[in-house]
Amino acid sequence: MPATLPVIDLADLDRGARARAELLTRLRTVTHEIGFFHLAGHGIDPAFAAELVAAARAFFALPDAAKLEIENSHSPQFRGYTRIGGERTQGHVDWREQIDIGPERAAVTAVDPAKPWEVLHGPNLWPAQRPELRDLALRWIEQAQAVGIVLLRAWAESLGAPADFFDDAFADPDPLLKIARYPGHDRSVTGQGVGSHKDVGVLTLLYPEPGSTGFQVDRDGTWIDVAPLPGCFIVNIGELLELATGGYLEATSHRVLPPEPGSDRISLPFFLNPGLDKELPAVPLPAELAAGARGVGTDEHGGTLHSVYGLNALKSRLRAHPNVTERYHAGLLNSPALHG
């Protein structure tokens, strides 16, 4: 049977001093020990989630030619549609199709060589045949971001810092929404829907389609299946929050297996990230918590974890989307800013 992660009810923040204190302790403990939990009480209407999932299904049902009109090969910012098999995790093919959506911004025309992540600023690509997707996706980003900020402030408090400790880094954040479809597959080409990885940002709010299967979390070297809970997000912390806490909070590896042939699943992972040129300040942990900080190692590729979010984000995109990298950014692969 799939395992059930701990459940955090965000509404407990507003249910009196005792409930609030218990929530903060539970939030800190869960993300120190596991790094994953189910989130209830977040306030996003399940009907809205169902509407976005339905719009996603309508887009993915379009003919390939229509979907490829917004393929990410048209976007130096790595936005838009990725075809099945078009993304890599740990160098291996992922068996999913998806749309990547970020903040709507103008592209940077003169990128500062010391800030190569500026190439990620730019517009999204939207499907002409499914215009409703734009409004739904941008509304989802707005609402999920608000939930993420509440969580981030709760983490700060739980670690002994002021609630606004991280606010400056999120004055102009750089969130990312992926709208993903995992088609059923016999695993003859690849065994992964998306391969084992940790998230490079601060926190992830994953809304899996109700009843879906295949999401797994690494618990002490063993992969456990995690089933969705109705109306809940699955939340995990990213490497930047691990970095900011000296390893007290732990980013945990996770993956998605392909569904059975003849089935599929829709997934809505939302990544809350600071501004590309921002870094999270190091949390001055109380002595009793600092004693449990495990330190921070390398990323899963053996590379450096950078405190500036943009460096981690750009490295991740360059590895994951070779078609975009080769077309627009081949020169960045050897950028001193990325390897310093």
Side-chain angles (χ1 to χ4, degrees), residues 11 28 34 39 54 59-60 88-89 103 124 143 168 181 212 251 256 263 281 303 315 334 336:
R28 182 184 66 238
I34 304 172
L39 182 69
F59 169 78
F60 290 123
R88 303 288 187 274
T89 300
N124 293 299
Q143 293 188 27
D168 180 65
R181 173 180 173 265
S212 61
V256 179
S263 65
K315 284 200 307 180
N334 296 315

Side-chain angles (χ1 to χ4, degrees), residues 13-306:
L13 287 173
D14 301 313
R15 289 179 174 144
R18 179 176 178 178
R20 182 184 181 87
E22 290 176 351
L23 178 141
L24 294 178
T25 298
R26 183 169 173 80
L27 179 66
R28 182 184 66 238
T29 301
V30 163
T31 43
H32 173 64
E33 295 178 350
I34 304 172
F36 267 90
F37 57 91
H38 295 286
L39 182 69
H42 48 74
I44 295 181
D45 189 344
F48 178 30
E51 190 177 6
L52 181 52
V53 168
R57 285 201 167 277
F59 169 78
F60 290 123
L62 290 173
D64 287 346
K67 292 185 287 189
L68 292 174
E69 288 178 0
I70 63 163
E71 189 177 24
N72 62 0
S73 59
H74 301 302
S75 170
Q77 295 81 33
F78 297 86
R79 306 289 179 85
Y81 174 71
T82 302
R83 66 180 75 195
I84 295 172
E87 188 175 20
R88 303 288 187 274
T89 300
Q90 299 285 2
H92 300 290
V93 172
D94 292 329
W95 204 255
R96 66 177 176 180
E97 56 182 334
Q98 65 187 31
I99 312 173
D100 280 42
I101 303 163
E104 287 280 16
R105 293 194 174 108
V108 175
T109 55
V111 173
D112 183 344
K115 299 179 179 181
W117 57 82
E118 289 182 338
V119 302
L120 299 177
H121 287 303
N124 293 299
L125 302 181
W126 301 106
Q129 294 189 37
R130 294 297 175 195
E132 70 278 9
L133 196 60
R134 183 183 192 277
D135 175 65
L136 291 170
L138 292 179
R139 281 172 51 207
W140 187 267
I141 287 174
E142 180 182 10
Q143 293 188 27
Q145 180 172 295
V147 173
I149 294 296
V150 171
L151 262 177
L152 195 60
R153 289 177 170 175
W155 261 307
E157 284 191 73
S158 78
L159 297 167
D164 63 357
F165 185 76
F166 297 117
D167 280 9
D168 180 65
F170 290 87
D172 186 20
D174 199 78
L176 176 68
L177 170 65
K178 287 180 179 286
I179 299 177
R181 173 180 173 265
Y182 294 86
H185 188 248
D186 63 7
R187 307 186 189 180
S188 59
V189 176
T190 178
Q192 61 190 42
V194 63
S196 171
H197 65 286
K198 299 178 182 180
D199 295 337
V200 300
V202 173
L203 68 93
T204 304
L205 297 169
L206 169 66
Y207 188 87
E209 189 172 22
S212 61
T213 61
F215 186 79
Q216 295 187 321
V217 172
D218 182 9
R219 290 295 308 275
D220 302 319
T222 299
W223 289 106
I224 62 168
D225 295 305
V226 176
L229 293 183
C232 290
F233 284 106
I234 297 173
V235 181
N236 64 281
I237 72 166
E239 291 172 324
L240 277 187
L241 200 51
E242 179 176 315
L243 192 64
T245 61
Y248 182 81
L249 299 184
E250 184 173 20
T252 303
S253 296
H254 50 286
R255 68 183 185 184
V256 179
L257 302 179
E260 292 299 314
S263 65
D264 67 356
R265 71 191 289 265
I266 300 294
S267 183
L268 306 174
F270 169 81
F271 306 90
L272 180 63
N273 308 308
L276 289 170
D277 60 348
K278 296 290 188 177
E279 56 185 286
L280 290 192
V283 181
L285 294 172
E288 65 272 18
L289 300 184
R294 291 160 286 221
V296 179
T298 61
D299 67 18
E300 289 206 340
H301 296 264
T304 302
L305 276 175
H306 298 281

